[in-house]
């Protein structure tokens, strides 16, 4: 549920709301959130609000003290899963207390901590290549308390990186929680 006056969102490439809960996501037995408590690095080492460790602490609420605010323009966070995992889903929340659309959401996985080699892009809604990372085919969406679920299709990787580039509300980048569902690769 959103707080405040309803907004007329005029955002290009915006998907229509489902109007119902997201369908369940199925993953192999034994799959769990492997990002909980792992080390997170960010392109903005000194967040304006909060600490990077809050992004994988299990708190999904959009209340004061539950979100991290990074600086403006394109920013990213990288989660080190410590070992290679089979990754089935990535679920994340930006600020969702108000209806917001975050721009240039790009989700990638890799075994390269610098994301130079063997990078797999799982989600990209950069419709005008303003990130300089290529045009994306995914839609912009309104943040909700359900979070955004990305199918990782069992890709094997050690590192998960998420980009954003401000929102329709302001130029800042917010994260509440990121969950990575997988299991150690065999």
């Amino acid at each position: 549920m959103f707080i405040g006056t309803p907004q007329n969102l005029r955002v290009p490439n915006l998907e229509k709301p489902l109007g119902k809960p997201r369908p369940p996501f199925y993953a192999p037995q034994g799959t769990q959130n492997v990002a909980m408590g792992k080390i997170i690095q960010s392109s903005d080492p000194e967040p304006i609000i909060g600490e990077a460790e809050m992004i994988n602490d299990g708190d999904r609420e959009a209340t004061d003290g539950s979100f991290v605010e990074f600086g403006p323009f394109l920013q990213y966070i990288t989660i080190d899963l410590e070992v290679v995992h089979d990754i089935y889903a990535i679920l994340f929340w930006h600020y969702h207390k108000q209806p917001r659309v975050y721009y240039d959401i790009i989700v990638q996985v890799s075994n390269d901590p610098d994301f130079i080699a063997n990078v797999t892009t799982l989600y990209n809604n950069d419709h005008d290549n303003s990130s300089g990372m290529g045009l994306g085919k995914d839609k912009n969406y309104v943040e909700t308390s359900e979070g955004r679920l990305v199918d990782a299709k069992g890709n094997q990787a050690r590192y998960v990186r998420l980009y954003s580039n401000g929102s329709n509300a302001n130029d800042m980048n917010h994260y509440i929680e990121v969950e990575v569902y997988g299991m150690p690769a065999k």
Side-chain angles (χ1 to χ4, degrees):
M1 173 175 282
F2 298 120
I3 294 175
T5 305
Q7 299 178 8
N8 185 6
L9 296 172
R10 296 180 186 215
V11 175
N13 199 31
L14 184 65
E15 74 180 12
K16 293 182 179 178
L18 281 177
K20 58 184 180 183
R22 172 182 66 238
F25 184 83
Y26 297 101
Q29 188 172 9
T31 299
Q32 60 183 340
N33 178 12
V34 294
M36 179 75 82
K38 297 294 192 309
I39 294 173
I40 294 182
Q41 295 186 336
S42 66
S43 55
D44 180 355
E46 296 184 21
I48 297 163
I49 298 173
E51 301 293 333
E53 297 79 29
M54 296 165 61
I55 295 172
N56 58 349
D57 64 357
D59 181 358
R60 300 172 175 172
E61 299 299 319
T63 58
D64 289 345
S66 295
F67 66 92
V68 181
E69 182 177 86
F70 294 107
F73 311 115
L74 188 67
Q75 301 286 346
Y76 66 81
I77 62 165
T78 303
I79 302 172
D80 180 357
L81 302 176
E82 299 176 348
V83 296
V84 175
H85 283 76
D86 296 327
I87 301 172
Y88 297 101
I90 300 171
L91 183 59
F92 52 94
W93 292 259
H94 295 278
Y95 192 78
H96 57 79
K97 196 170 185 177
Q98 302 162 336
R100 289 189 182 179
V101 178
Y102 284 84
Y103 301 127
D104 304 346
I105 303 297
I106 301 169
V107 179
Q108 297 177 326
V109 295
S110 180
N111 287 321
D112 178 356
D114 297 320
F115 281 76
I116 295 171
N118 300 319
V119 177
T120 300
T121 299
L122 302 174
Y123 189 91
N124 181 347
N125 70 5
D126 181 0
H127 72 281
D128 59 2
N129 197 25
S130 54
S131 69
M133 300 176 65
L135 291 171
K137 295 180 179 176
D138 296 297
K139 296 272 191 180
N140 285 315
Y141 62 93
V142 177
E143 289 286 332
T144 69
S145 60
E146 278 195 325
R148 188 64 170 187
L149 179 71
V150 172
D151 185 351
K153 302 178 180 164
N155 273 284
Q156 291 190 338
R158 174 175 170 173
Y159 301 94
V160 176
R161 181 171 282 183
L162 292 89
Y163 292 85
S164 62
N165 192 3
S167 72
N168 66 313
N170 58 53
D171 292 335
M172 300 303 174
N173 294 278
H174 304 94
Y175 285 89
I176 291 177
E177 191 72 14
V178 176
E179 299 174 350
V180 178
Y181 288 90
M183 61 179 69
K186 295 180 182 173

